Amino acid sequence: MNNIKTILDEYYLELSTLTVFTRAEHTIHKKEYETIKKHNLTPAQFGVLEALYTKGDLTIGQLIEKNLSTSGNMTVVIRNLERDGFIKKTAHPMDKRISYISLTDMGQEYIKDILPEHYENIHSIFSILTDDEKQELKRLLKKISYSIED
């Protein structure tokens, strides 16, 4: 028990930094998801529609990578968006194991209507920071990400 106290004291700054970061991340996502939920989408569904709108047709693998999702979850998301008429799957002409996912006209109109509100919401989340602070925050978060990925 005494050893744990010593370690806690030694790493207090790191542990409290993680706590502050986690709370901020939770708060940011809660606010971000307000717009998404208002339009009856899950964050994963929104991520797929946004990726397809901004990047064009993508494979399921590319969508998993862009949305940091698992293949099982992505399969359900794709199935539900296809059922609702927002996307369609097209088999690769040379490799039937690969499908391209694309927006339908309805999906394109739906996400196009949501994006301005979503982007304004994101702007409001970070509007308390100056541009320099936003750049510094990005720099620090990338520094952490890149050092951990190595």
Side-chain angles (χ1 to χ4, degrees):
M1 184 67 167
N2 218 6
N3 188 30
I4 296 294
K5 172 88 171 96
T6 304
I7 293 170
L8 283 173
D9 289 344
E10 183 178 347
Y11 297 126
Y12 173 78
L13 184 56
E14 290 83 357
L15 294 168
S16 63
T17 301
L18 178 63
T19 300
V20 170
F21 174 83
T22 303
R23 284 187 183 140
E25 180 189 27
H26 176 76
T27 302
I28 289 167
H29 282 308
K30 185 177 176 185
K31 178 74 174 154
E32 174 196 5
Y33 295 160
E34 285 177 5
T35 307
I36 295 166
K37 288 179 182 178
K38 176 179 161 185
H39 293 279
N40 300 313
L41 294 171
T42 66
Q45 289 171 326
F46 176 83
V48 167
L49 294 177
E50 182 183 36
L52 293 172
Y53 185 79
T54 58
K55 305 289 184 198
D57 298 355
L58 298 169
T59 64
I60 293 174
Q62 291 168 321
L63 285 168
I64 290 168
E65 184 179 311
K66 295 220 177 296
N67 289 292
L68 305 174
S69 184
T70 63
S71 59
N73 183 52
M74 187 57 67
T75 301
V76 172
V77 169
I78 299 281
R79 185 179 330 123
N80 289 340
L81 287 171
E82 190 175 26
R83 175 201 66 206
D84 295 342
F86 293 128
I87 62 168
K88 61 183 176 189
K89 287 195 308 190
T90 308
H92 187 284
M94 306 301 256
D95 188 344
K96 301 296 181 201
R97 296 170 297 172
I98 299 173
S99 293
Y100 285 103
I101 311 300
S102 57
L103 290 172
T104 61
D105 290 343
M106 184 173 93
Q108 183 132 4
E109 288 303 311
Y110 194 69
I111 192 66
K112 191 166 71 171
D113 288 343
I114 297 169
L115 283 177
E117 182 182 355
H118 177 71
Y119 293 157
E120 287 172 22
N121 188 31
I122 299 302
H123 172 74
S124 75
I125 291 169
F126 291 100
S127 65
I128 63 159
L129 300 175
T130 66
D131 287 350
D132 287 344
E133 289 171 329
K134 290 172 201 170
Q135 291 294 344
E136 180 65 4
L137 179 60
K138 283 175 48 177
R139 186 188 70 74
L140 292 170
L141 292 173
K142 284 179 182 180
K143 183 176 182 178
I144 293 170
S145 293
Y146 297 150
S147 72
I148 292 172
E149 288 178 355
D150 291 342

